[in-house]
Amino acid sequence: MRRTLTPRPASESPRPLLLLALALSLVPGLAAQTTASRDMTLVAGRGELLHFDRDVQKVAVAEPKIADAVVVSPQEVMINAKGPGKTTVVIWEVGSVPIRYQISVVNDTSEHESLRKEIRDSVQNPAIEVTGSGDTLVLTGTVKDADESKRAAAIASTRAKQVVNLLKTPPAPDPRQILLEVKFASIDRAALSEIGFNLFSTNPKGVGSLSTQQFQQPRFSQFQFQEGEVRNNTVNFADLLNLFIFRPDLNIGSTIRLMQGRNLLQILAEPNLITIEGKEASFLAGGEFPFPTLTSTSTGGAVSPVVTVQFKKFGVQIAFTPNITPSGAIHLKVAPEVSSLDFSNAVTLQGFLIPALISRRADTEVILKDGESFAIAGLIDNRVVSVLNKLKYLGDIPVLGNLFRSRSQRKSTDELLVVVTPRFVRPIPADEKLKLPEQPEQFLPSVVDEKARKGGKKQDQKKESKKAEFVGPRGHQEPK
């Protein structure tokens, strides 16, 4: 067997393949040098100056909105952070491989840190976090109550235009119930003195009467004249006042009012009201009277008056609103009032008699602890009413002029005393039954008593049936 060896051409030499293999083996090293990167974190609005040993040939920035690079000298580059985000900066030095920087830009939180410290110092709560950007701040965390949440939001509003309050508060406890014990005492003292005269004459030669018209005077019946004399001189008395004098021989008499009286009136009311903190409670022991008011309405282009009726309250009334202070005391706003109708100063309007109101009112705020009391006193009303009637000229005569005068004088002193005592109360547990007040004497037997009585009768009948009895014939007993 014979073999022939033919040499390869130069183009088919294996040298190029070796060079390609060598180049491929060097590529990973080159890639590792060009892709080497350095991490850098900057705060928005700030920068970092980079120093190099060789001159900088060129600079490339991936996203100029996040960071920017400025060549300030042949061997110095300034990196400026503009906005939050991430970008890449590549810098080429003369005779060296490129250097890659991974830039991370974050917002400036120094303002938030100072605000967080200020809020924590103010509300004494380290669990409050402050985040946000621009003109918006977000508060997160947990606070004790709604007051702390409002206080933190108020502090944050000084640093930003918009504050998002996401602070959590624990559920508020049930409001406490407060019992208000009120005692009203109104003492009315009145002194009355009256004096007056009514003179009359039934003498046939001079019939007549004299009065100041303050007290009811005697009245004559129809006069009958005969032969120039009065034949019928009968006198009718509707009120003899308290003194009556008559001289039959002179046919002259008089009725005299000479009275003096003293009155003492005491009105007591003891209402007990229960309400929760922050809510108003009121009490009224009295009534409401109609009060007409005149209004106008337009009908067909004309204005016509319309009378509407409203109702106004009078009597003993009180309104109070309790609130609990952080120290546990009761802040009480109370307004007691005592009023009565006054018909002596009434007004008549289109046939309606509208009485006036005599009112004594107090409005105050106090802070008390549980069971403490305060009193409102000194609401005194002093009145003196004096009425004098006299006959003209005759009533001005010294000494004798008193016979032609009538006088009435009334003095009154009314004092109001209010004693208020707040107390904390709790409802009676469900397993405890309330005991109602018992009647001192039952006028109708209950069903239980009726059953017991009937059952007692049956037992008595059974007991009686077991008693010994006479057995045998008796004279009056019929045989069975």
Side-chain angles (χ1 to χ4, degrees), residues 119 155 167 223 259 280 412 424 437 440:
I119 293 177
I155 296 174
L167 295 173
F223 292 117
M259 294 290 291
E280 182 180 356
S412 63
F424 290 117

Side-chain angles (χ1 to χ4, degrees), residues 212-285:
T212 58
Q213 301 294 326
Q214 185 175 2
F215 307 107
Q216 193 170 4
Q217 62 180 352
R219 297 185 178 276
F220 292 90
S221 59
Q222 185 177 5
F223 292 117
Q224 296 180 1
F225 295 92
Q226 186 178 2
E227 297 179 357
E229 294 182 357
V230 179
R231 295 300 182 184
N232 185 9
N233 53 4
T234 305
V235 181
N236 298 321
F237 296 94
D239 186 4
L240 294 177
L241 303 185
N242 63 322
L243 290 177
F244 173 71
I245 300 174
F246 183 74
R247 287 285 301 271
D249 54 341
L250 300 177
N251 290 333
I252 296 176
S254 174
T255 57
I256 303 174
R257 166 76 76 180
L258 189 59
M259 294 290 291
Q260 185 175 5
R262 296 181 181 274
N263 297 328
L264 178 62
L265 175 64
Q266 185 175 11
I267 302 175
L268 294 177
E270 297 184 7
N272 293 334
L273 303 177
I274 297 179
T275 185
I276 61 176
E277 55 175 315
K279 300 297 182 180
E280 182 180 356
S282 59
F283 166 83
L284 172 64

Side-chain angles (χ1 to χ4, degrees), residues 332-451:
L332 196 63
K333 183 178 181 181
V334 60
E337 179 180 356
V338 175
S339 58
S340 59
L341 300 179
D342 183 13
F343 287 93
S344 60
N345 296 319
V347 178
T348 303
L349 176 62
Q350 293 187 356
F352 295 97
L353 181 62
I354 306 173
L357 278 178
I358 301 175
S359 301
R360 280 164 295 167
R361 183 186 302 110
D363 191 350
T364 184
E365 296 184 20
V366 294
I367 296 179
L368 301 172
K369 294 183 179 180
D370 183 16
E372 294 182 345
S373 302
F374 80 97
I376 302 176
L379 302 177
I380 301 175
D381 182 11
N382 291 324
R383 297 191 180 190
V384 177
V385 180
S386 181
V387 179
L388 175 63
N389 293 331
K390 64 179 180 179
L391 294 178
K392 195 174 182 179
Y393 305 123
L394 295 179
D396 297 330
I397 300 175
V399 183
L400 294 178
N402 293 326
L403 299 176
F404 306 100
R405 298 176 185 172
S406 295
R407 179 180 299 153
S408 175
Q409 188 176 28
R410 179 183 178 86
K411 298 180 180 180
S412 63
T413 301
D414 193 356
E415 182 177 0
L416 178 63
L417 174 65
V418 182
V419 180
V420 179
T421 305
R423 300 182 185 275
F424 290 117
V425 293
R426 294 182 179 178
I428 297 177
D431 56 349
E432 183 177 349
K433 294 183 179 180
L434 285 175
K435 186 177 180 181
L436 298 176
E438 298 179 354
Q439 296 181 356
E441 182 179 356
Q442 293 185 355
F443 58 93
L444 288 177
S446 62
V447 178
V448 178
D449 296 339
E450 284 291 329
K451 290 183 179 180

Side-chain angles (χ1 to χ4, degrees), residues 315-334:
V316 178
Q317 52 186 324
I318 186 172
F320 78 100
T321 304
N323 288 289
I324 300 178
T325 62
S327 62
I330 302 175
H331 176 266
L332 196 63
K333 183 178 181 181
V334 60

